[in-house]
Amino acid sequence: MANLRDLKKEIRKICADLAGECLIARNCIPGVDMNKIDDIIARTADLQEVALGNVSFSFDRLAEDFPSGREYHKARRRYYRKAYASFREKFLGHVTDLVHELNTALPKPARELKCNDTDKA
């Protein structure tokens, strides 16, 4: 991870892209389930708010708790690596669930068309 600011920008971009896809589907695809789309957009906004609030972690131990500075930095790196990996896994899991729900909100002809377009790419 480069820095926290970049991570927050990526979270905002992912959520904005997902909400944008929902709006495009809602406005351009006839027969789409409007209630599901509205629910997905609201849940995407909630996901962004929660993710941005949970993205900051703090290592709760002091350097004095370790026999050496090297051990402290090693434990601190391990903690942050594990915390951000867990955060990333949960966030992407929620995004994947929302994308699957978006696909189920589309009418069957639109889903089949979209699948056929990705097969050609």
Side-chain angles (χ1 to χ4, degrees):
M1 182 187 77
N3 64 37
L4 199 55
R5 182 178 54 218
D6 290 340
L7 179 59
K8 287 181 178 183
K9 284 180 183 179
E10 288 298 317
I11 290 169
R12 286 185 189 101
K13 284 179 187 176
I14 290 168
C15 291
D17 287 345
L18 182 57
E21 288 292 326
C22 289
L23 290 173
I24 290 170
R26 187 174 192 271
N27 294 328
C28 298
I29 299 175
V32 71
D33 187 351
M34 300 286 194
N35 293 329
K36 266 189 179 180
I37 294 293
D38 291 341
D39 181 54
I40 294 168
I41 292 171
R43 289 179 46 213
T44 301
D46 289 341
L47 173 63
Q48 178 177 323
E49 184 178 341
V50 168
L52 291 174
N54 292 337
V55 77
S56 297
F57 305 102
S58 62
F59 188 54
D60 60 347
R61 307 223 13 226
L62 300 173
E64 292 82 30
D65 296 339
F66 294 90
S68 69
R70 181 182 174 104
E71 292 295 319
Y72 168 74
H73 290 294
K74 189 175 180 181
R76 188 171 181 260
R77 274 192 306 271
R78 192 175 330 119
Y79 170 81
Y80 280 113
R81 191 174 298 126
K82 185 177 177 183
Y84 281 109
S86 173
F87 173 81
R88 187 173 35 252
E89 181 180 323
K90 288 177 186 176
F91 177 74
L92 292 178
H94 288 297
V95 169
T96 302
D97 292 342
L98 290 172
V99 168
H100 286 299
E101 286 185 39
L102 173 61
N103 288 335
T104 61
L106 298 175
K108 189 170 181 159
R111 276 195 308 257
E112 290 173 355
L113 180 65
K114 192 164 186 103
C115 290
N116 290 338
D117 286 344
T118 57
D119 291 339
K120 293 177 186 175

